[in-house]
């Protein structure tokens, strides 16, 4: 559940965008200081982890260039927590989620479980958690007939590709699937989860301990307060309260 950028391929700090990432970021800025006017920068996913040479090195510990330079203070992109990312960033959890496979509704009979992905083409964000999970399956269960990738920049591109038949499936967060299913996806449906429940996280420089404390305090308030910005965000974008979303996730969204 991230939102929309206009135009869809826009990058940098001049983009117009809307949705949950921006809304919760604005609520956090208000929490910090009502007079604070935050600035936003739209990135390619992997840019969040690039070193000074513009490369992501998973096995190395370093502060990503956008953080070390002060270009960005906080990533509010709801990224999954992974050991290689924790080498580079502090990652406070925001809410739980899981990934689901989304397909064209007319092809539901072709997709019974994860084995259905073998030999299919999926729209996937490069170097994302979903990409890693599929790579692992390609090296084991799908080694004789691996799934193929069409790399995308965001979930919206993946949904669009499924809608027009450019790919067989896409992988998105369950919260995003609820949002797209309610607002934009006319011919797509989530068929089954992939991977276990995981946390959606914000991320920041490991040395920003004061900011981390403020983020943690803000999130704790949001999670327990009925009618909070987080609760309203879920109602607006998924049609469910945050509490109902948690119950849905805990029982395994399908």
């Amino acid at each position: 559940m991230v939102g929309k950028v206009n135009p869809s391929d826009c990058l940098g700090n001049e983009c117009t965008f809307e949705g949950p990432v921006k809304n919760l970021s604005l609520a956090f800025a208000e929490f910090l200081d009502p007079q604070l006017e935050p600035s936003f920068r739209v990135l390619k996913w992997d840019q969040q982890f690039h070193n000074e040479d513009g490369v992501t090195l998973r096995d190395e510990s370093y502060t990503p260039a956008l953080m070390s330079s002060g270009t960005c203070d906080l990533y509010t992109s709801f990224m999954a927590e992974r050991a290689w990312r924790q080498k580079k960033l502090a990652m406070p959890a925001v809410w739980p989620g899981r990934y689901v496979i989304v397909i064209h509704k007319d092809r539901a009979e072709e997709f019974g479980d994860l084995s259905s992905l073998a030999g299919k083409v999926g729209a996937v964000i490069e170097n994302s958690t979903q990409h890693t999970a599929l790579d692992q399956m390609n090296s084991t269960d799908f080694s004789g007939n691996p799934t193929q990738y069409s790399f995308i920049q965001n979930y919206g591109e993946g949904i669009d590709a499924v809608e027009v038949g450019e790919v067989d499936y896409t992988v998105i967060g369950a919260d995003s699937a609820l949002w797209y299913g309610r607002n934009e996806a006319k011919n797509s449906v989530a068929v089954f989860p992939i991977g276990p429940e995981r946390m959606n996280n914000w991320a920041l420089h490991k040395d920003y301990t004061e900011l981390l404390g403020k983020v943690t305090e803000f999130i704790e308030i949001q999670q327990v307060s009925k009618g909070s910005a987080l609760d309203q965000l879920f109602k607006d974008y998924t049609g469910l309260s945050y509490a109902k979303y948690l119950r849905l996730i805990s029982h395994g969204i399908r």
Side-chain angles (χ1 to χ4, degrees), residues 214-245:
K214 290 294 186 181
V215 169
T216 302
E217 181 183 358
F218 170 73
I219 292 171
E220 288 176 349
I221 293 171
Q222 294 297 307
Q223 290 174 337
V224 300
S225 301
K226 187 175 181 180
S228 68
L230 181 64
D231 190 45
Q232 191 61 48
L233 182 152
F234 270 87
K235 290 177 180 177
D236 290 345
Y237 286 93
T238 72
L240 303 174
S241 67
Y242 181 62
K244 288 183 178 179
Y245 167 78

Side-chain angles (χ1 to χ4, degrees), residues 66-251:
L66 289 173
M67 286 287 177
S68 62
S69 67
T71 301
C72 295
D73 297 309
L74 183 65
Y75 295 152
T76 56
S77 51
F78 307 135
M79 67 176 68
E81 184 178 80
R82 292 294 178 264
W84 68 269
R85 293 174 180 169
Q86 290 177 294
K87 292 179 179 180
K88 302 164 176 60
L89 296 159
M91 300 183 65
V94 183
W95 71 65
R98 68 188 313 176
Y99 294 115
V100 293
I101 300 297
V102 174
I103 65 166
H104 195 286
K105 64 182 182 181
D106 293 342
R107 301 181 61 186
E109 293 185 0
E110 298 177 42
F111 293 85
D113 54 30
L114 283 175
S115 65
S116 310
L117 305 184
K120 299 289 200 305
V121 178
V124 181
I125 298 173
E126 189 172 12
N127 281 329
S128 64
T129 303
Q130 309 97 297
H131 184 194
T132 301
L134 291 167
D135 270 350
Q136 290 172 344
M137 286 190 285
N138 275 345
S139 65
T140 54
D141 298 343
F142 301 162
S143 59
N145 187 24
T147 191
Q148 306 297 315
Y149 306 126
S150 175
F151 289 125
I152 53 174
Q153 296 300 325
N154 54 61
Y155 287 163
E157 288 184 14
I159 291 291
D160 290 343
V162 166
E163 292 271 302
V164 300
E166 290 180 354
V167 297
D168 299 310
Y169 70 91
T170 191
V171 191
I172 69 175
D175 41 18
S176 294
L178 290 168
W179 182 78
Y180 280 108
R182 185 170 183 253
N183 295 282
E184 295 205 358
K186 305 302 181 185
N187 298 301
S188 302
V189 60
V191 285
F192 48 77
I194 176 173
E197 183 177 314
R198 45 87 186 171
M199 295 303 298
N200 291 291
N201 302 268
W202 283 359
L204 64 156
H205 197 302
K206 285 189 173 186
D207 292 342
Y208 291 176
T209 54
E210 184 177 354
L211 180 58
L212 176 60
K214 290 294 186 181
V215 169
T216 302
E217 181 183 358
F218 170 73
I219 292 171
E220 288 176 349
I221 293 171
Q222 294 297 307
Q223 290 174 337
V224 300
S225 301
K226 187 175 181 180
S228 68
L230 181 64
D231 190 45
Q232 191 61 48
L233 182 152
F234 270 87
K235 290 177 180 177
D236 290 345
Y237 286 93
T238 72
L240 303 174
S241 67
Y242 181 62
K244 288 183 178 179
Y245 167 78
L246 292 179
R247 289 196 291 271
L248 182 65
I249 286 294
S250 66
H251 287 87

